Amino acid sequence: MADPQSNAPSRADAGAPTSGVIHVRTRLTADFTVISNALAQRRGSAVTVGVAAYISSLPDGSSVTIPALCKHFSEGEILISRALRELEAAGYLERRRERTPTGHVRTRTYFYDVPGGDPNLDPDPDGPPEPPKPRRPRRQGTSAAVTPASAPAEKTVAAPVPAKAETPVPLADADPRAVAVLTTLRRIDPRLILSAQETARLAPAVARWLAAGLLPTQITDHLTARLPDYFLTRPVGILAYRLKETPLPVPARSAEPPVRPMVVPMRNCDGCDRGFRSAEPGRCRDCRAGDQLRAAG
C-alpha cells in the first residue's frame, strides 16, 4: 500500500492571528504619506479621517477649500464642511488671516501632523521652506538702533496701540430669538451651517433687527436671497456683511390705532318679529315691500 497522506491544510504559523485583519506589508520608497495612528484611528466620522488623510497627502500650496474637496470626494458640502470643522476643533487644522507684502489679506491653511505643533519648525530641513511667522505690531520707541556718530539722530515715533477687540458674547447669553433665526437658515440653504462661535457673533445684529420691529421671516428672506453659487469663504462673512451693510427698512408704525367699522345692531321686525340689522327700530325689508304692494293695489 501507498504511504498514508493527509489532505488537511498545513498548520498556520505560530505568530499569525487566527482572526481579524492580517497586514501584507510592502516597503514604499515613493508616493506615500505618513500619518499618526491617533489620526488614522480617530473615533467618529470616516469622512473626517478621509479628508485628513487626503490633505496630508497633498503638496504645499494645494487648494483645500470646500469646493476643491467636493470635486475630489463624492460627499457634499455639508459633510466636507463638518469634517473641516472637526479637524479644526481637534487641532489638526488652522486657518490664519495674513497680510501679504502688497497689503492684501489672504487666508492660509496649516495642517498639523500632531495637534499643537509649531508651524514655524520644519521637521524636514531639505523640504519646503517654513511658513512665515505672523507679523505683530511693533513699537518703534521701545527699540534703539546703533547708528554711526556722523549720522543724524532720527526721531522715533511710537506706533499707535491697536484697539482692543470686543469680547464675543457667549452663545448662552445671546437672544434666543436671534439664535433661532440663525439656526433655521440651513433649512432654506443647506450651505448656511454656522458653528456656535459664528452664531454668537451674528446674534447681536439679528437681535437689533428684531428689536427694531422686523419679523423673523423678513430677516430670513433678506439673508438667503440671491446667494452665490459657490462660497469662497465661510458663509458667516456674507451674513455678517448683509447684517451690517444692508439693513432692512424699519416698517412704519401708525401712531393712531385703527378705527373699526361700526356694527349695525340687530333688531326684531315689528311686523313678522324676524331679526334684521337696522340703525332704527321698525319693519324688515320684506314687510316694507308688502306694505308698498298693498298700497299700490
Side-chain angles (χ1 to χ4, degrees):
M1 295 181 62
D3 297 335
Q5 298 180 359
S6 175
N7 58 356
S10 59
R11 186 174 63 87
D13 297 337
T18 58
S19 62
V21 63
I22 299 177
H23 294 282
V24 180
R25 305 292 186 181
T26 302
R27 183 177 179 82
L28 300 177
T29 59
D31 296 334
F32 66 94
T33 301
V34 178
I35 61 175
S36 63
N37 289 338
L39 179 58
Q41 300 175 5
R42 185 176 184 273
R43 297 181 60 87
S45 173
V47 179
T48 303
V49 179
V51 169
Y54 175 69
I55 295 177
S56 299
S57 65
L58 294 176
D60 289 348
S62 302
S63 177
V64 290
T65 60
I66 295 178
L69 295 176
C70 289
K71 292 181 181 179
H72 178 79
F73 293 99
S74 60
E75 284 75 12
E77 294 183 356
I78 297 179
L79 294 179
I80 296 298
S81 60
R82 184 182 303 170
L84 293 177
R85 288 198 304 271
E86 291 182 1
L87 293 175
E88 191 171 3
Y92 289 100
L93 188 71
E94 181 185 4
R95 297 184 178 95
R96 291 186 183 179
R97 296 180 62 84
E98 299 178 354
R99 186 175 300 275
T100 61
T102 58
H104 296 82
V105 178
R106 65 180 178 181
T107 301
R108 300 191 66 179
T109 303
Y110 295 92
F111 193 84
Y112 299 92
D113 294 336
V114 178
D118 188 357
N120 300 317
L121 298 179
D122 189 5
D124 185 7
D126 299 331
E130 61 182 11
K133 298 181 179 179
R135 296 184 177 181
R136 296 183 179 180
R138 183 181 59 183
R139 297 183 181 180
Q140 298 179 2
T142 57
S143 60
V146 179
T147 58
S150 59
E154 296 182 357
K155 183 179 179 181
T156 59
V157 180
V161 180
K164 184 178 181 181
E166 296 182 359
T167 303
V169 180
L171 184 60
D173 300 337
D175 189 350
R177 299 181 303 163
V179 175
V181 171
L182 295 172
T183 54
T184 54
L185 294 178
R186 61 181 180 180
R187 299 180 182 178
I188 301 176
D189 194 330
R191 299 175 299 172
L192 300 179
I193 299 179
L194 302 175
S195 62
Q197 183 178 1
E198 295 171 345
T199 304
R201 171 188 169 187
L202 300 178
V206 177
R208 286 193 295 268
W209 281 19
L210 292 173
L214 298 175
L215 299 177
T217 53
Q218 292 177 308
I219 301 175
T220 302
D221 294 341
H222 180 71
L223 296 179
T224 57
R226 300 184 301 276
L227 291 174
D229 296 335
Y230 295 98
F231 291 159
L232 300 180
T233 59
R234 290 283 300 161
V236 64
I238 299 178
L239 299 179
Y241 176 81
R242 293 190 173 187
L243 288 171
K244 180 180 179 181
E245 301 296 338
T246 56
L248 287 176
V250 179
R253 296 182 179 180
S254 58
E256 299 179 358
V259 180
R260 296 182 180 181
M262 184 181 61
V263 180
V264 181
M266 291 289 297
R267 301 184 184 278
N268 292 335
C269 178
D270 295 340
C272 63
D273 199 27
R274 185 172 58 182
F276 71 102
R277 293 187 179 276
S278 176
E280 298 178 355
R283 292 175 177 269
C284 64
R285 181 175 53 184
D286 294 341
C287 292
R288 290 197 303 269
D291 295 342
Q292 293 177 2
L293 291 176
R294 285 193 296 270

